[in-house]
Every structure is written in structure tokens, then in C-alpha cells.
Amino acid sequence: MSTRGRDSLELGGVISDVLDPFTRSISLSVVYQNREVINGTNLRPSQITDQPRVEIGGNDLSTFYTLIMTDPDAPSPSNPNLREYLHWLVTDIPATTGVTFGNAIICYESPRPSMGIHRMVFSLFRQLGRETVYAPNWRQNFNTRQFAELYNLGSPVAAVYFNCQRENGTGGRRTG
Amino acid sequence: MRSSSSEEHQQLKGLDKNLATYSSKSSSPSSSTSSSNNYPINPVLINSKTMEEVWKDINLSSLNDHTCSRAHMDPQSTTASTINFGGMILQDLLARPLASDPPTATTAYGSPVPPPPPVTMLTLNSGPELHFFSSLNPLRKTSICLPKNISNSSTFEALASPAAGRNANGKKRHPESDNHSGDQKNKRMIKNRESAARSRARKQAYTNELEQEVANLMEENARLKRQQQQLCLASAGAQLPRKNSLYRTSTAPF
């Protein structure tokens, strides 16, 4: 689980824009239509309309985890004034299981970026206890760091991200 | 002319193998390639002077033309090694200005250079020549490199730090307080740069990730192969007794 050489999350800017540096300790597997997501994968909206299969590691069924999926480049990477846009929030996921065993308090919203190439970040946190994490009021301007601090989630235990742009092209340049 | 060219030809051959053979020019015109006069640097210095002149002449006339174009092609190599003369090899330099060289220069290098044999020996990439040039005369080395550096540094810096250069110059060229389009251009440029930086970061991140995946997969592959081998051996060991375990369990009573 240790990273060799440089870290893709850092290179992709995820570590500065969304998360603080952390050490991976739990395995996280995100699969859309049999495509495993590795950092920097490119996926089109048509491939991510439905929620992916997510499986996590760990070894203690009595430890619970929260999965957060956000878009830090909303509405456009050159002007991310909605950073971050919350697409999915699942809590109480027992270790060694998957997202289907958890509680999706913010349901999965299929990303449909209109401008530019967006990063979609999955981050996994360990909860202190069961039912200790609550949903925010809205999806836009979500802040993963602050949310984690608010509900005592600590540092992330795993994260992965992919790139997504609109189905045809990148949405061009915004004038003005 | 011909005889001197053949002498020079010998000189150049000697350059490649043995510095001592330069003594053939200074001492006697008859060929004595295997003269065992192991002179130290001295005979070489006599000829280095003419070579220095040749280099200066060549550089002034042709090097500036080439380095500007070469710098655009490969800016990083120009600063890599001073001996490299802007990525050119010697035969390029010497091939060009031969017709117009002053006579003193040509006696040392001019005539034998166009035909291939001496040129191949004098390509800068070969070791002995490099050491020869560098050890001989450090002053000459810098004098050759100076015009190259002056011509290259401006282009290289322009290429290497376009952001700093252009931002500073951009504002000077387009006074934006009353020029709306200049301001827009500036903003556009900045946005474009950011976009380009994001694109580069994306590419780097993905490449890095792929490399790690490959490394992981190779490790796993090796581990699985080892595992499989061990299983094979184990099963092979278990099979043998079974093959020989066909024994009679009972015999007929008759």
C-alpha cells in the first residue's frame, strides 16, 4: 500500500486542492462497468451514469468508514467557484465490505461536466463510531477537509481520482 | 599544395592516435609515422596555434548562424557541454567556410577536410579529441564558447522562462490601462498558461500512476509464478506414490 516514487494524487493536484497529505492504510477499489479507476483515468459521463462498485479493505467489521465523492473543478477548472461539488456521501461502511453495506446519505449524482476537464475525487475516512456522520444541506461548495474535521474523521485512509469531461469535447472556452 | 595537404592528412591521422606524430611536420617532411619521439605537449602547441586561428575564423563566420537555429531545435543541449559547440559536430563546422578561409587557416585544416577520411576522425564525439581540446588550452575553449553563449543565452532564456519574460514585456508592450484588448489578451494568456499547466499535471499524474501499476503487476506476476512453481513441485511429489500404488488387494484362491 506504500507509494513508490512520486504520488499521483499530488501530481494531479488532489493533495493540495482537496486533501492534505496522508498515508494510505486501507485498500479502496472503485469500479465503473468493470473498469477499475486508477488515478488519472479518463471516463466519460456515459460511463459513470450509475454508481460504481466500491470495496474497501481493513480487517475489523466493527470499524466503519465514510466515502466522499466530490468534484473540485465545478463548474470549470479555470473558474472553480463551486468547489467542491458533492456527488456522493456514504457512511457506516463496515471494513472489508462495500458501499452497498453502507448508508448513502447523499445519493449518487451522475457527473455531467459542461466545461473543461474535471477531477472526480473519492476519499475514504475512518469514523470514530457508527452513525456519527451527518449530511450537509447542499452539494455545492462542499469542503472535504472541513467536513472531516467537523465529524472527527481525521486524515483520509485512502483516495483515488479520475478525470471527466463532457461527452463531446471539453466545452470550449468561456468568453469574458 | 598537394604535398602539404598530404602532410596535413598525416597530421590529422596522428591526432587521433598519437600526439607524438606531430613531430613529423616540424622535423622532416618524409613520412615517419612510427617515429618514437615521444615529445610532450610542445610540438602540439605549435600546431595548436594554427588550429586556434582556424577555430576563431570558423566560429566567427559560421558558428553564429548555426547556433541560433540549433538552439531553437534543442536548447537544452547547448548548455549541456561547452565542448559540444551547439550540437554541431566538427564536420558541419568545417564543411562550410572552407572556400573563404585565409591561407594560414587552410594550411592546417582547409584542404583535407572536404574528403571524408579526416572528418570522421575529427568528429567531436570521439574521446581523444575532446580531451585534447579541453586539456590543451582552456583559454581557447572559453573563447570559442563565448560567442555561442552570448547568442544562445538570450534565446535559451527566452525559451526557458517565457512566463517571466513575457509578463514583464507584455505589460510594457500593451499598456492596458486604456487598452482594453491588451488586458483581455493578457488574461487570455494567463488562463491559457494555467490550462496548459493543468494539462501537464494531468499527464504527469497519469503516467506516474501507470508506472506504479506496472511495477505492482510485475511484482504480483513474479510472486504468482513462484507460487505456481512451488505448487507444481508439491503436486508432482504427491503423485508418484499414487502411480506405484496399484497393488493386488487379493489373489484368486486357485
Side-chain angles (χ1 to χ4, degrees):
Chain A
M1 215 70 57
S2 64
T3 53
R4 249 168 306 193
R6 301 191 291 182
D7 182 24
S8 307
L9 290 173
E10 272 186 44
L11 290 173
V14 172
I15 291 294
S16 54
D17 293 340
V18 181
L19 304 170
D20 292 325
F22 68 94
T23 312
R24 288 176 183 70
S25 57
I26 302 290
S27 70
L28 172 66
S29 153
V30 178
V31 181
Y32 277 105
Q33 298 177 340
N34 293 323
R35 275 190 71 162
E36 168 100 34
V37 172
I38 64 172
N39 290 318
T41 304
N42 288 299
L43 292 169
R44 298 279 187 179
S46 55
Q47 296 170 301
I48 58 176
T49 48
D50 300 322
Q51 69 183 53
R53 255 187 5 254
V54 180
E55 277 155 30
I56 66 175
N59 41 25
D60 183 4
L61 276 173
S62 61
T63 312
F64 297 93
Y65 292 86
T66 291
L67 178 76
I68 303 177
M69 176 185 176
T70 64
D71 175 359
D73 297 324
S76 155
S78 56
N79 185 20
N81 49 38
L82 298 180
R83 176 178 289 178
E84 308 153 40
Y85 187 90
L86 181 64
H87 281 275
W88 203 18
L89 180 57
V90 187
T91 61
D92 299 336
I93 306 171
T96 74
T97 67
V99 126
T100 48
F101 292 79
N103 185 14
I105 57 180
I106 299 279
C107 63
Y108 180 82
E109 180 180 300
S110 172
R112 299 182 59 85
S114 57
M115 279 181 296
I117 303 180
H118 296 217
R119 294 163 294 175
M120 301 291 173
V121 182
F122 292 92
S123 40
L124 189 70
F125 294 86
R126 182 180 290 118
Q127 296 171 210
L128 282 183
R130 206 164 165 267
E131 289 181 2
T132 54
V133 182
Y134 302 99
N137 289 324
W138 34 80
R139 294 179 183 258
Q140 60 265 30
N141 297 119
F142 183 81
N143 189 315
T144 303
R145 276 187 188 98
Q146 285 176 8
F147 188 81
E149 200 176 315
L150 179 62
Y151 294 108
N152 297 303
L153 296 174
S155 271
V157 297
V160 73
Y161 85 100
F162 66 93
N163 294 314
C164 183
Q165 58 180 294
R166 53 185 283 167
E167 205 70 34
N168 302 306
T170 62
R173 182 207 316 172
R174 183 180 213 175
T175 52
Chain B
M1 198 63 175
R2 291 284 172 120
S3 59
S4 65
S5 74
S6 68
E7 278 180 19
E8 264 66 50
H9 190 75
Q10 280 179 9
Q11 271 186 41
L12 294 170
K13 277 192 170 170
L15 207 156
D16 183 39
K17 292 171 191 167
N18 191 352
L19 293 177
T21 54
Y22 262 86
S23 59
S24 67
K25 188 208 175 190
S26 53
S27 52
S28 62
S30 61
S31 63
S32 55
T33 52
S34 60
S35 70
S36 58
N37 303 336
N38 280 339
Y39 290 118
I41 309 294
N42 289 336
V44 176
L45 279 175
I46 295 170
N47 299 319
S48 74
K49 224 179 175 185
T50 55
M51 285 197 286
E52 187 170 350
E53 288 171 23
V54 172
W55 276 115
K56 278 184 187 167
D57 293 326
I58 291 173
N59 281 331
L60 290 173
S61 60
S62 72
L63 191 53
N64 285 336
D65 295 337
H66 274 284
T67 49
C68 285
S69 58
R70 293 278 176 156
H72 285 295
M73 276 162 50
D74 193 4
Q76 284 161 10
S77 73
T78 55
T79 54
S81 80
T82 52
I83 296 289
N84 200 4
F85 297 106
M88 297 175 64
I89 55 176
L90 184 52
Q91 59 191 14
D92 288 348
L93 278 174
L94 295 176
R96 284 184 77 250
L98 289 174
S100 56
D101 266 351
T104 51
T106 48
T107 50
Y109 270 109
S111 30
V113 174
V119 175
T120 55
M121 284 182 240
L122 288 174
T123 55
L124 281 174
N125 292 331
S126 60
E129 280 71 51
L130 274 178
H131 294 306
F132 172 70
F133 285 133
S134 61
S135 62
L136 241 202
N137 194 347
L139 289 177
R140 187 192 60 147
K141 181 170 92 171
T142 54
S143 72
I144 287 174
C145 292
L146 267 176
K148 175 179 76 70
N149 281 340
I150 288 170
S151 65
N152 282 348
S153 61
S154 55
T155 56
F156 185 72
E157 279 171 7
L159 289 167
S161 58
R166 270 188 231 158
N167 270 341
N169 292 333
K171 283 187 180 171
K172 285 175 195 167
R173 286 191 214 125
H174 308 285
E176 77 280 355
S177 48
D178 46 7
N179 188 352
H180 188 54
S181 68
D183 193 32
Q184 269 189 342
K185 274 188 192 171
N186 221 5
K187 277 189 187 172
R188 180 82 199 97
M189 199 159 57
I190 294 172
K191 278 196 172 183
N192 201 303
R193 289 228 190 89
E194 288 168 4
S195 175
R198 277 197 300 275
S199 179
R200 283 193 299 270
R202 258 200 304 276
K203 181 180 180 179
Q204 269 191 337
Y206 192 46
T207 310
N208 183 261
E209 184 78 4
L210 285 178
E211 286 172 357
Q212 284 186 9
E213 278 288 305
V214 166
N216 289 340
L217 288 171
M218 278 177 20
E219 256 189 52
E220 194 182 333
N221 201 23
R223 186 178 53 82
L224 288 171
K225 279 184 179 171
R226 264 182 276 127
Q227 217 179 32
Q228 196 210 22
Q229 271 184 357
Q230 286 170 359
L231 286 174
C232 247
L233 289 173
S235 69
Q239 267 175 11
L240 285 171
R242 257 186 273 125
K243 268 189 186 172
N244 302 335
S245 67
L246 209 62
Y247 291 115
R248 217 177 290 147
T249 52
S250 64
T251 41
F254 48 83

